[in-house]
Amino acid sequence: MILEKSKIIRLQDLSQAGYVEDDKADFVKDFIRINHIYRSAMQEASTRLDILDSEFATIYNHSPIHHMECRVKTLDSILEKMKRKNLELRIDNVYKLQDIAGIRVICNYVEDIYYLRKLLISSNGFELIRESDYIKRPKPNGYRSLHLIVSVPFVISEGRMELPVEIQLRTIAMDMWASLEHELRYKSGRVFTEAEAAELLQCSKDLAAVDEKMQALFQGPGVGRTSS
Ligand code: 0O2
């Protein structure tokens, strides 16, 4: 199942939202084009992941992907990130951000994440640009996921293009922690006390232990990924 969080952007939507004004006008028009091409790269990558998932399920009788969520970064979020990175408001600077198109792949088990990684980067045309393994080395706050930036080739009416897509792979347990931590931090604009931060870190460790136990249960004594 692929859930797409962002929708197709039209100039009239951005005009209504008050974006198409003075200094931002040219940038906003170019952004619509950019949104389309990144969406194409994202769809290409999510389709490839979906195919790999089905193939895996056919051979091993186990589907590694629980579900996927896709999004192209919103204009607000791009503007905020460019400001944070001190990038001038020019469209060529948008290409310096490598997470304009993003896919979150929620897997059943930790091992599924590394199987998918291997399948994805050995599949034709997809090149790994950058990797951050926050599963082997979780962030100090407890955040765990495998982040890949992959260069994705695709074809549109003007011809062949290649753009980076950020792929975040995580288990259901890792996703639970990240979603709730994000909800607590952003929605309520909360700054965690030391005790709360320690509690969140402990939750992450507990969930990592659950992931390990579920993986062991899945494999069971003598129950592996046998071909059906
Ligand atoms: P969104 O809307 O989720 O995309 P960057 O800051 O992006 O230049 P880098 O190294 O790419 O640097 O960032 P990082 O930290 O590897 O990964 C950024 C994304 O990972 C975030 O995207 C989150 O989706 C996720 N992430 C990273 N750390 C945490 C965390 O502590 N908690 C949660 N809940 N998610 C995290 P954005 O940019 O927040 O936006």
Side-chain angles (χ1 to χ4, degrees), residues 3-193:
L3 303 170
E4 185 162 350
K5 287 184 159 177
S6 45
K7 54 179 186 160
I8 292 168
I9 310 245
R10 299 167 308 164
L11 188 56
Q12 67 204 69
D13 297 331
L14 294 174
S15 308
Q16 279 162 14
Y19 281 116
V20 192
E21 275 173 16
D22 3 304
D23 56 323
K24 284 190 193 146
D26 288 339
F27 181 86
V28 166
K29 281 177 197 150
D30 288 337
F31 167 75
I32 292 170
R33 162 103 192 102
I34 286 218
N35 185 278
H36 168 68
I37 56 173
Y38 275 99
R39 172 183 291 271
S40 307
M42 181 182 81
Q43 285 171 340
E44 186 78 37
S46 59
T47 303
R48 178 75 61 95
L49 282 158
D50 210 23
I51 291 170
L52 291 173
D53 183 54
S54 310
E55 202 181 330
F56 203 89
T58 310
I59 301 170
Y60 297 108
N61 198 24
H62 164 72
S63 187
I65 300 181
H66 184 268
H67 72 276
M68 283 190 269
E69 296 165 5
C70 300
R71 63 106 185 94
V72 176
K73 242 187 187 344
T74 60
L75 181 58
D76 275 334
S77 179
I78 291 176
L79 294 174
E80 183 275 317
K81 190 157 185 177
M82 288 179 77
K83 199 170 167 191
R84 182 156 48 87
K85 294 199 168 265
N86 282 322
L87 291 170
E88 205 185 313
L89 198 64
R90 286 197 335 254
I91 212 70
D92 51 318
N93 277 336
V94 173
Y95 290 101
K96 292 185 182 154
L97 307 180
Q98 292 184 315
D99 64 343
I100 301 289
I103 304 175
R104 196 165 281 158
V105 187
I106 319 301
C107 294
N108 291 310
Y109 301 100
V110 179
E111 260 194 18
D112 291 333
I113 293 174
Y114 292 100
Y115 273 109
L116 271 178
R117 175 202 176 276
K118 198 170 147 204
L119 290 176
L120 188 69
I121 62 172
S122 61
S123 71
N124 198 17
F126 282 40
E127 196 195 324
L128 181 66
I129 304 176
R130 189 155 63 95
E131 177 166 18
S132 307
D133 192 339
Y134 300 124
I135 300 174
K136 295 210 166 86
R137 286 168 302 280
K139 286 199 171 183
N141 64 351
Y143 176 77
R144 296 184 306 135
S145 279
L146 177 68
H147 289 195
L148 308 176
I149 306 286
V150 178
S151 177
V152 175
F154 59 98
V155 177
I156 52 170
S157 57
E158 294 148 54
R160 187 182 184 278
M161 295 192 78
E162 208 160 318
L163 281 174
V165 174
E166 184 190 62
I167 302 178
Q168 297 182 352
L169 298 124
R170 47 171 81 153
T171 60
I172 300 166
M174 293 172 199
D175 190 51
M176 174 194 158
W177 186 94
S179 302
L180 296 181
E181 189 263 357
H182 183 271
E183 164 97 7
L184 287 169
R185 195 156 38 95
Y186 284 102
K187 285 236 170 117
S188 51
R190 183 155 154 189
V191 178
F192 298 126
T193 62

